[in-house]
Amino acid sequence: MPLLRPAALVTLMRIAGNGGRREGSGGLRRCRDSPGVLQIPSLFSAPQGRRYSAPPQPVIAAKQPFPVELKAGKKYAWCACGHSKNQPFCDGAHRKAAPGISPLRFIPEEDKTVWLCGCKRTRSPPYCDGTHKEEAVQRAQLSAKP
């Protein structure tokens, strides 16, 4: 790791203490237990008085994949959040239910029948990779759909 000049270090500490904002002189906090020792806040910790929530996680929409006939050149939007009522495709439910998750948009190059993931845990989205067979997915409760 390269050594930082003192001015760069002070700038980093100010940014970390102000949640990324550069204005103001706040952001530097001194440790009360050890006088004269500067406490450097983490770049990833929330500034005092602010709370950050973890990014939204997708819900399991189904414990099996969806067989789908795809048409070459047609645009598709695979639901990545699991909240869509039009599974396996997006209906915009993520905007309210999971604002940090976006659908995966894709255009197939050829007509073909594929299995699209329903558990939203695949490592090769939007296609099923068999992850739904894992015990954690099979034991999970499906979210209640009104």
Side-chain angles (χ1 to χ4, degrees):
M1 183 170 131
L3 294 175
L4 295 175
R5 294 183 311 197
L9 185 57
V10 169
T11 301
L12 269 174
M13 292 184 321
R14 282 189 179 137
I15 289 171
N18 283 338
R21 293 186 318 253
R22 297 189 95 159
E23 73 272 355
S25 60
L28 296 178
R29 289 182 272 168
R30 298 216 177 259
C31 180
R32 294 177 193 230
D33 297 335
S34 305
V37 176
L38 188 61
Q39 180 180 11
I40 302 174
S42 166
L43 290 174
F44 300 105
S45 64
Q48 207 167 11
R50 291 189 183 174
R51 298 208 187 275
Y52 295 111
S53 60
Q57 295 296 311
V59 297
I60 297 172
K63 294 182 182 183
Q64 70 280 338
F66 296 93
V68 177
E69 286 189 36
L70 301 177
K71 301 294 178 198
K74 183 177 176 186
K75 293 180 184 179
Y76 293 93
W78 174 74
C79 171
C81 72
H83 292 282
S84 173
K85 291 181 178 30
N86 188 31
Q87 290 294 332
F89 300 110
C90 178
D91 66 0
H94 65 277
R95 290 184 193 110
K96 192 172 188 178
I101 301 177
S102 298
L104 186 139
R105 293 173 175 85
F106 67 102
I107 302 172
E109 294 180 1
E110 61 185 20
D111 290 356
K112 61 181 172 180
T113 301
V114 297
W115 293 91
L116 296 183
C117 178
C119 73
K120 312 305 177 189
R121 304 295 191 269
T122 182
R123 291 178 239 8
S124 57
Y127 306 105
C128 176
D129 68 356
T131 303
H132 64 276
K133 296 175 187 175
E134 293 177 2
E135 187 177 339
V137 173
Q138 290 300 315
R139 284 187 304 148
Q141 294 285 343
L142 294 179
S143 63
K145 310 238 176 174

